[in-house]
Amino acid sequence: MNIGEAAQVSGVSAKMIRHYEGIGLIQPADRAESGYRVYSASDVSTLRFIRRARDLNFSMEKIGQLLALWRDRGRASADVKRIAMEHVEMLEARMRELEEMAGTLRHLARNCHGDGRPDCPIIGSLADGAVAAEPKARSRRSSPNAITKVGGIR
């Protein structure tokens, strides 16, 4: 099948198929006499494998390792499990980070009046670094766009 058909069947865009070939994640496709790429059922299976791994947020490096293990019929399942569990740990750490971010935003939103006043702890928190970089001669209160700093929230 051609690249468009392989893309449709595998769920991986033609652009990404070319990218995966370019970075060596998959072998370059065979070419027809016309120069068009030709994909086999095995190529499509590999693309589907990559798609599922990407859906689970594996990095390209880890996908390469998993592909090598998938192709190695003598692999140890312990190697596959180790990669999967390392990924679970990374995902769980990321979930904790996201929960912390959501908690901070919830706190800021609870303390934002949400009315016509310009003072807003959400903007203040986001601009915290920018406020510190302002010239000292300029007073924050004198500016119509003054930002109220939220104490202790980063």
Side-chain angles (χ1 to χ4, degrees):
M1 60 186 79
N2 67 31
I3 195 167
E5 293 165 331
Q8 185 175 15
V9 172
S10 68
V12 176
S13 72
K15 180 179 179 180
M16 289 308 295
I17 293 172
R18 287 187 212 93
H19 174 69
Y20 296 154
E21 286 180 3
I23 63 172
L25 192 60
I26 60 173
Q27 295 295 316
D30 292 331
R31 300 278 183 154
E33 284 184 30
S34 62
Y36 289 107
R37 289 174 169 89
V38 179
Y39 295 89
S40 67
S42 176
D43 295 327
V44 170
S45 292
T46 300
L47 291 169
R48 284 183 179 145
F49 183 100
I50 293 168
R51 173 61 192 236
R52 287 190 296 269
R54 290 295 297 147
D55 287 347
L56 292 171
N57 203 31
F58 278 100
S59 68
M60 290 298 171
E61 177 187 352
K62 295 297 181 187
I63 292 172
Q65 292 172 7
L66 289 167
L67 278 170
L69 288 166
W70 181 49
R71 291 177 181 133
D72 178 5
R73 299 295 178 210
R75 70 184 167 261
S77 63
D79 295 334
V80 179
K81 183 175 182 175
R82 179 187 45 78
I83 292 170
M85 293 311 297
E86 287 172 359
H87 190 62
V88 167
E89 289 174 16
M90 185 275 307
L91 290 171
E92 288 173 341
R94 183 67 179 142
M95 286 176 4
R96 285 188 298 275
E97 291 171 5
L98 290 170
E99 282 295 325
E100 288 176 20
M101 286 187 258
T104 298
L105 285 171
R106 250 186 247 105
H107 173 77
L108 291 169
R110 275 193 308 266
N111 291 292
C112 179
H113 296 289
D115 56 16
R117 292 183 279 184
D119 293 337
C120 177
I122 300 166
I123 294 295
S125 178
L126 294 172
D128 196 20
V131 171
E134 282 186 2
K136 292 185 184 209
R138 185 176 172 198
S139 168
R140 288 187 292 174
R141 294 198 176 199
S142 65
S143 168
N145 295 323
I147 298 170
T148 303
K149 201 171 178 183
V150 177
I153 297 178
R154 297 232 179 251

